[in-house]
Amino acid sequence: MVHATKGVVLRTVKYGDTSIITSIYTELFGIQQYIVKGVRKSTKTSAGKASYFQPSAILELEVPHNELKSMQFIKEYRWAYLYEQVLFDVVKNTVAMYVIELLQHSLKQPEANPELFYLIEDTLKQLDKGNATLTGNLPLYFTLHLASELGFQLQGEYTSATPVIDLQEGLFVAGKPSHPYYLEGTLAKTTSEISNLSFYNELENIQLNQQTRRQLLEAYQLYLTLHISGFGQMKSYAILQEVLS
């Protein structure tokens, strides 16, 4: 049986002389590995086909699916969304690569999670359309909401009674914990605001300076490290900090 599903490309490597192996987060099946044959041939019919499988590409796929196989095949593929800026704007492209690498480090199981797929898809589309402020704040928004979809959403919100975020426990608390993994003051308040946003365009109203954005992103990286076993070091993190400075 052939299934129609959307997917976001996470990683692609060369396979043999003319083919590729690509890792795609799909709407229906979660992370899947696909062999795509012949897309690197230097022929008229193959020219440009490899570009469909660059990381962050959003595709419409027609795929047979066998749960017993670790490697699948793609019957048909086409663009589900054509970027206008992400592939050509240095800042937007860096943010997109951060999103993709964050997923590579965070997703440990192949199970489908349609809500997570929609978060990824919407984030990349909004990045493509958004202004500079939205672009700068989007890594913060996505990191927090990815954590929520993976099952460790921050509990509570910033109030005068709970002005501190315990990153180890994942909740707002009354006072500083005994360990050093916490946020307080403006950083805790801003985190609460970003967590509670309903629409992406509201990110345009959150004005953050370079230092605050850097501190928040560093704290959110720590939060993921504390809650995801073997999270590892992200290469795009340092590049993102430089680009958004």
Side-chain angles (χ1 to χ4, degrees):
M1 181 179 178
V2 176
H3 303 267
T5 182
K6 287 190 286 186
V8 175
V9 178
L10 301 181
R11 181 188 288 112
T12 296
V13 296
K14 295 177 181 178
Y15 178 70
D17 294 330
T18 62
S19 304
I20 59 171
I21 293 176
T22 183
S23 175
I24 300 179
Y25 192 79
T26 66
E27 180 182 4
L28 293 184
F29 308 112
I31 294 180
Q32 295 295 316
Q33 308 293 325
Y34 295 101
I35 294 177
V36 189
K37 294 184 176 180
V39 294
R40 292 170 46 235
K41 288 180 179 179
S42 55
T43 63
K44 289 183 179 180
T45 56
S46 298
K49 286 189 175 181
S51 66
Y52 282 84
F53 299 98
Q54 55 196 312
S56 79
I58 305 173
L59 303 177
E60 292 276 2
L61 306 169
E62 293 182 21
V63 294
H65 184 72
N66 186 332
E67 292 184 359
L68 301 179
K69 292 184 177 181
S70 59
M71 196 74 66
Q72 312 284 345
F73 291 89
I74 299 177
K75 184 174 184 290
E76 299 287 345
Y77 54 88
R78 55 190 173 274
W79 300 114
Y81 179 81
L82 277 172
Y83 291 116
E84 295 180 8
Q85 299 184 53
V86 163
L87 301 180
F88 313 105
D89 182 284
V90 172
V91 176
K92 288 179 182 287
N93 187 254
T94 302
V95 172
M97 291 306 100
Y98 170 82
V99 167
I100 295 302
E101 189 181 4
L102 196 62
L103 293 167
Q104 293 171 356
H105 284 251
S106 302
L107 301 177
K108 305 297 183 180
Q109 303 297 328
E111 285 80 9
N113 180 345
E115 292 303 317
L116 175 55
F117 175 82
Y118 302 141
L119 172 65
I120 299 166
E121 180 186 34
D122 289 346
T123 296
L124 292 170
K125 288 181 178 180
Q126 293 298 323
L127 171 64
D128 193 45
K129 302 172 183 175
N131 66 15
T133 302
L134 183 146
T135 298
N137 290 333
L138 199 60
L140 302 174
Y141 177 93
F142 181 76
T143 305
L144 286 177
H145 285 75
L146 173 63
S148 297
E149 288 297 336
L150 294 178
F152 45 95
Q153 178 179 2
L154 285 173
Q155 300 299 309
E157 60 182 336
Y158 180 90
T159 67
S160 58
T162 54
V164 177
I165 303 174
D166 184 329
L167 294 172
Q168 190 163 279
E169 297 300 322
L171 73 161
F172 287 81
V173 295
K176 298 178 184 179
S178 58
H179 56 75
Y181 311 130
Y182 65 88
L183 291 175
E184 61 180 334
T186 300
L187 298 180
K189 184 178 181 180
T190 302
T191 298
S192 184
E193 291 173 356
I194 295 173
S195 294
N196 291 322
L197 292 181
S198 300
F199 303 101
Y200 286 90
N201 62 359
E202 294 177 44
L203 288 169
E204 298 175 358
N205 301 324
I206 297 180
Q207 300 296 325
L208 302 176
N209 60 36
Q210 175 189 343
Q211 182 180 5
T212 299
R213 189 176 281 144
R214 184 184 294 266
Q215 288 175 314
L216 287 173
L217 196 57
E218 185 175 318
Y220 300 171
Q221 289 283 304
L222 172 61
Y223 185 57
L224 293 182
T225 301
L226 290 170
H227 291 270
I228 299 176
S229 177
F231 181 78
Q233 201 75 22
M234 286 184 55
K235 296 178 181 178
S236 62
Y237 173 66
I239 302 172
L240 182 66
Q241 292 284 34
E242 288 297 321
V243 167
L244 294 180
S245 63

